Amino acid sequence: MSTAVSPLSLDLTPASEQDRILHNRRLVRTWIYVVIVFLVAIFIVGGGTRLTGSGLSITEWKPIHGVIPPFSLAEWEEEFAKYREIPQYQELNRGMSLDEFKGIFWWEWAHRLLARSVGVVMALPLIFFWATGRLERSLKPKLLGILALGGLQGAVGWWMVASGLSELTSVSQYRLATHLTLACIIFVATVVTARSLAPHTAPAADRKVQRFAGWMVVAVLAQIYLGALVAGLHAGLTYNTWPLMDGSLIPGDLFAMHPGIVNFFENPKTVQFVHRLGAYTVLILALIHAFQTARLAPDSTHARRATLLVILLLGQAALGITALVLVVPFSWAILHHAGAILVLGFTAAHWRGTKGAMPLPTASAVRH
């Protein structure tokens, strides 16, 4: 009596080859975790740079030479002289001392140094893992895409800075929001790639759960974009009450500017109000997602992560409210800023977790 054999079973990867693939995944995953640490550091230092008004302190883009900071008094005076030529100094910081200039210079320099460093941390190991055959074919375009987005982000960063060097006293809120959102997209792609290589303790969740988890990532990204507009317009320095805003739940003069659409990007009152609404919306979506996941995947790791996401969002909302009512002190503002990247990273990892483990390549794929 013959036994039927599935065609798929004839293409199984041998156990020894599976062990090699899993070992390589651990190595690659560890490297990507290091990249994630750098990205978080860039995000937080970038927030500090924004909060201290330091982003325009370096008025030139020197990707290579800019790694070396000023050392001598003459070099510091040269950098300071360049800064004194831009509107921010002439209109806001006139009379600033050299020591005060150094304080804002180091924030921007550290931000740029971290950005350059993460390019090296990403590119060199990628070349090594690729050359030594440790990358699975499906990973290669993803990692190249992340590296390419990182290069684009450098150009977008300078495009943002350039907006504040001739006429404005700070960078354009449009360009700031673009720069921050692209940074977050890079972060999401990196987290999702790392999570795909990690062991999964549960099978894939229901497709409905997967889709909702994906939309949660989009919702958090949109809220961060709105937060960047708030930061770009310094909108958090006004209407510092909660839950009421300007004495009511729905304040007046939300469409004082014409055409009406520009209020969503240029009216500080409207931008702050929309950011508040965005926070409520994201929290409501997270609650719906938690209940849905608990119903479709009860007592699963997916359900526990969905519940934890609600808790993280409540904490982030509390940080935002505290920063607002205290009129955005640096300490609370940077905590709120850091909380955003924590929430985004967890949401992205949760989304990838709902998809289950990344399958091992078949024997034929390995041979190819």
Side-chain angles (χ1 to χ4, degrees):
M1 181 178 179
S2 62
T3 303
V5 179
S6 167
L8 183 60
S9 66
L10 298 175
D11 199 29
L12 292 177
T13 308
S16 60
E17 186 62 25
Q18 290 183 15
D19 290 341
R20 186 187 73 83
I21 293 170
L22 293 175
H23 174 70
N24 287 337
R25 284 186 179 182
R26 284 192 296 271
L27 293 176
V28 173
R29 187 171 74 248
T30 301
W31 157 52
I32 298 177
Y33 284 156
V34 172
V35 174
I36 289 172
V37 170
F38 269 83
L39 292 176
V40 171
I42 293 170
F43 190 89
I44 294 174
V45 173
T49 301
R50 177 61 187 173
L51 289 167
T52 56
S54 305
L56 299 176
S57 58
I58 302 177
T59 60
E60 295 177 325
W61 190 34
K62 299 178 179 178
I64 305 300
H65 180 66
V67 174
I68 304 172
F71 287 107
S72 67
L73 179 60
E75 290 174 336
W76 276 112
E77 289 288 0
E78 181 184 354
E79 286 291 337
F80 193 21
K82 294 173 183 176
Y83 177 68
R84 290 198 298 265
E85 295 176 359
I86 70 172
Q88 185 182 78
Y89 173 83
Q90 296 169 2
E91 298 182 29
L92 299 180
N93 293 332
R94 183 176 291 276
M96 170 184 278
S97 68
L98 179 59
D99 285 340
E100 289 172 330
F101 170 71
K102 289 179 181 180
I104 64 172
F105 178 92
W106 285 121
W107 273 105
E108 175 65 4
W109 181 83
H111 184 53
R112 294 192 187 194
L113 180 65
L114 283 169
R116 294 179 176 107
S117 299
V118 77
V120 176
V121 172
M122 183 70 191
L124 294 185
L126 175 59
I127 294 171
F128 170 77
F129 286 125
W130 196 311
T132 55
R134 288 177 167 85
L135 293 179
E136 296 167 49
R137 185 166 57 176
S138 62
L139 278 177
K140 293 177 180 178
K142 298 175 184 177
L143 295 172
L144 281 176
I146 293 172
L147 184 62
L149 285 176
L152 175 62
Q153 175 70 339
V156 170
W158 175 247
W159 174 67
M160 175 190 70
V161 170
S163 67
L165 297 180
S166 58
E167 297 179 4
L168 302 176
T169 58
S170 61
V171 300
S172 160
Q173 75 273 20
Y174 293 101
R175 299 188 187 189
L176 174 67
T178 301
H179 183 57
L180 182 62
T181 305
L182 180 56
C184 289
I185 291 171
I186 293 170
F187 181 68
V188 167
T190 309
V191 169
V192 168
T193 301
R195 185 69 182 93
S196 70
L197 297 172
H200 286 60
T201 58
D206 184 277
R207 288 288 297 174
K208 293 180 181 178
V209 173
Q210 293 183 35
R211 284 194 293 270
F212 209 129
W215 282 112
M216 284 305 306
V217 176
V218 175
V220 173
L221 278 170
Q223 178 65 354
I224 290 175
Y225 175 84
L226 294 173
L229 292 177
V230 171
L233 292 170
H234 305 284
L237 299 176
T238 57
Y239 309 106
N240 301 100
T241 58
W242 186 87
L244 299 182
M245 181 178 176
D246 197 20
S248 61
L249 287 174
I250 303 177
D253 298 323
L254 292 177
F255 294 94
M257 301 175 69
H258 299 283
I261 189 67
V262 303
N263 288 278
F264 292 99
F265 303 95
E266 298 179 14
N267 185 337
K269 191 175 191 177
T270 308
V271 167
Q272 188 195 127
F273 180 66
V274 173
H275 187 52
R276 293 188 186 205
L277 292 182
Y280 305 146
T281 301
V282 172
L283 184 56
I284 291 170
L285 289 174
L287 284 167
I288 295 172
H289 176 57
F291 282 116
Q292 178 205 53
T293 309
R295 178 175 60 84
L296 296 176
D299 300 320
S300 68
T301 185
H302 307 303
R304 289 190 289 272
R305 285 198 310 267
T307 301
L308 181 54
L309 177 57
V310 174
I311 296 172
L312 287 175
L313 286 169
L314 286 171
Q316 176 67 352
L319 288 174
I321 293 168
T322 303
L324 177 71
V325 299
L326 294 178
V327 197
V328 199
F330 179 86
S331 56
W332 286 100
I334 200 68
L335 283 174
H336 183 56
H337 183 78
I341 199 68
L342 172 64
V343 169
L344 180 63
F346 183 85
T347 308
H350 168 58
W351 172 46
R352 183 57 189 81
T354 63
K355 295 177 175 294
M358 179 178 174
L360 290 169
T362 61
S364 58
V366 171
R367 287 194 300 269
H368 178 76

